[in-house]
Amino acid sequence: MIESIKNRRSIRKYLKRQIEDNLLNEILEVAFRGPTTGNMQLYSVIVTKDEERKKKLWEIHFKQNMILEAPVVLTFLADFNRFNLWCKSRGVEPVYDNFLSFITAAIDAIIVAQNVCVIAESKGLGTCYLGTAIYQADKLIEFFECPEGIVPIASIVIGYPAEMPEQPDRLPYEKLIHNETYRQYTWDDIDKIYEYKENMELTKRLLEENKMDNLPRIFVEKRYTKKDIEYFSKILLDVIKRQKFL
């Protein structure tokens, strides 16, 4: 399994081959053995295989074609609804209508999502995260008919790979580790940490295509702009309030 993580890459093209139900169920069952706050398991997973519903998810997720190609789309929910109902059914009034409870459930859901990726890839499957799930949480809540106490956190496509793209780059691992206390980076540290990324051929192509002078500018002014981040932040905060976490 260590090798599958070391060699992982995001797969965006898939074979027209279904995932056997017993394999998918095994992946999910094992993933659910992962850590969870207070052993409460504050998550749920929605499995989407139906082609018509996948087309609607494709629309919601900004028309990313891997949703149509992959046989399965998994949506991971921060879910306090189930636990709240259990409390109420035993005559206990739950007290989890707060931001900390949302964060707790979101962490649980992310841990499960990552477990699914690791296990699936060790079985020869490919996966890819859809970061758009958190941006479109309001639309996914409506699509999946989620009650209060639930917020979609992540989506993953999963299937048999039809490509083997290059591995994405990663920063030097030792530069991400701090011993005992956080050591602030110097400007020289920053230069050395990002030197490889900034000198990649991909980076050079991106700079040329976007007519920009450095990679951070592409992130800030093209990919994740202040306007977009503030817009989607407002949507998420509204969702958290509407779902009774605030």
Side-chain angles (χ1 to χ4, degrees), residues 63-75:
K63 299 182 178 180
Q64 298 182 74
N65 286 336
M66 53 189 163
I67 292 175
L68 301 178
E69 290 193 17
V72 176
V73 181
L74 301 176
T75 304

Side-chain angles (χ1 to χ4, degrees), residues 41 55 65 112 117 144 152 155-156 167 207 224 229 240:
Q41 291 187 267
K55 287 178 184 176
N65 286 336
V112 168
C117 287
F144 290 123
S155 294
I156 290 171
Q167 264 196 304
L207 294 177
Y224 305 105
I229 293 299
I240 293 171

Side-chain angles (χ1 to χ4, degrees), residues 35-229:
T36 171
T37 303
N39 199 26
M40 292 189 285
Q41 291 187 267
L42 304 170
Y43 55 80
S44 287
V45 182
I46 297 179
V47 180
T48 305
K49 298 180 182 179
D50 180 81
E51 293 300 327
E52 290 304 312
R53 289 186 64 78
K54 278 170 49 181
K55 287 178 184 176
K56 293 177 182 177
L57 283 179
W58 174 74
E59 292 277 356
I60 292 172
H61 285 283
F62 305 127
K63 299 182 178 180
Q64 298 182 74
N65 286 336
M66 53 189 163
I67 292 175
L68 301 178
E69 290 193 17
V72 176
V73 181
L74 301 176
T75 304
F76 297 82
L77 312 174
D79 183 357
F80 244 113
N81 173 64
R82 182 177 57 249
F83 194 85
N84 288 342
L85 290 174
W86 182 38
C87 291
K88 291 177 180 179
S89 72
R90 299 301 184 265
V92 179
E93 190 60 32
V95 293
Y96 306 112
D97 53 346
N98 47 68
F99 187 64
L100 180 59
S101 295
F102 165 72
I103 293 296
T104 298
I107 291 170
D108 272 17
I110 287 294
I111 289 173
V112 168
Q114 181 60 17
N115 278 355
V116 166
C117 287
V118 171
I119 298 163
E121 288 158 8
S122 75
K123 298 286 188 179
L125 296 167
T127 66
C128 188
Y129 270 97
L130 300 171
T132 44
I134 198 74
Y135 295 163
Q136 299 287 68
D138 56 338
K139 294 180 175 62
L140 290 173
I141 286 171
E142 181 179 356
F143 179 70
F144 290 123
E145 303 176 13
C146 298
E148 292 176 356
I150 291 175
V151 176
I153 295 298
S155 294
I156 290 171
V157 293
I158 179 171
Y160 290 94
E163 64 170 356
M164 192 54 64
E166 291 185 17
Q167 264 196 304
D169 63 286
R170 290 293 183 264
L171 299 177
Y173 82 93
E174 67 275 9
K175 301 300 183 181
L176 310 181
I177 299 170
H178 300 258
N179 292 312
E180 309 300 343
T181 61
Y182 190 97
R183 185 184 67 82
Q184 178 62 300
Y185 298 102
T186 65
W187 295 121
D188 186 55
D189 290 333
I190 295 299
D191 288 342
K192 290 177 180 177
I193 290 170
Y194 288 96
E195 181 180 16
Y196 174 76
K197 184 186 287 286
E198 291 182 327
N199 287 289
M200 291 173 58
E201 286 303 316
L202 173 60
T203 299
K204 294 175 183 178
R205 289 199 302 271
L206 286 172
L207 294 177
E208 185 176 345
E209 290 169 5
N210 289 277
K211 295 181 173 54
M212 290 189 169
D213 60 339
N214 61 63
L215 191 54
R217 194 177 304 282
I218 292 177
F219 279 94
V220 174
E221 298 181 10
K222 285 279 188 177
R223 290 187 178 177
Y224 305 105
T225 67
K226 178 179 177 63
K227 178 182 176 182
D228 288 344
I229 293 299

